[in-house]
Amino acid sequence: MSKTSKHTWVVDVIEEGAASIEVDGRTVTPIPQWLLPEGAKEGDVLSVTHERKEAKSTLVIETDLDAKKKMLDRSEKEVSRTSKNDRGGDIKL
């Protein structure tokens, strides 16, 4: 019997042969850079399909350009909404 799950990874940082990956918007974990699709870079959104069977685990990792565009659009809206209400000045704690 096999079990399949889908995940979203966001490439946070790539340095010295390793990448920090945000997994499903919850945790950040390091992985070897060689696991990433060729040409993957910081800020890329990856669609990951994991299939688990007895004695075998398969990952398919694909760059998801549509998800990256949606993420950037959402981020831009959040920043513009926040900056409209920001009067500047010192931060008060």
Side-chain angles (χ1 to χ4, degrees):
M1 179 175 220
S2 84
K3 181 179 178 183
T4 301
S5 59
K6 294 190 178 283
H7 304 276
T8 300
W9 291 1
V10 178
V11 181
D12 185 33
V13 177
I14 300 173
E15 57 187 19
E16 298 181 21
S20 291
I21 303 294
E22 180 185 284
V23 179
D24 295 331
R26 288 182 262 175
T27 60
V28 176
T29 190
I31 65 168
Q33 185 177 358
W34 58 261
L35 274 174
L36 299 177
E38 189 169 325
K41 56 191 176 302
E42 294 174 1
D44 279 354
V45 177
L46 306 173
S47 176
V48 179
T49 303
H50 179 221
E51 183 178 12
R52 236 185 329 189
K53 297 178 182 180
E54 187 173 329
K56 183 177 181 179
S57 180
T58 305
L59 283 178
V60 176
I61 306 169
E62 301 173 296
T63 303
D64 190 337
L65 297 176
D66 289 336
K68 181 178 180 178
K69 183 177 179 345
K70 288 176 186 174
M71 182 185 73
L72 290 173
D73 289 346
R74 191 170 43 243
S75 179
E76 184 179 323
K77 286 178 186 175
E78 183 65 30
V79 168
S80 67
R81 183 173 54 111
T82 302
S83 63
K84 287 178 186 175
N85 298 327
D86 186 1
R87 293 175 283 152
D90 293 336
I91 297 173
K92 295 179 183 174
L93 301 177

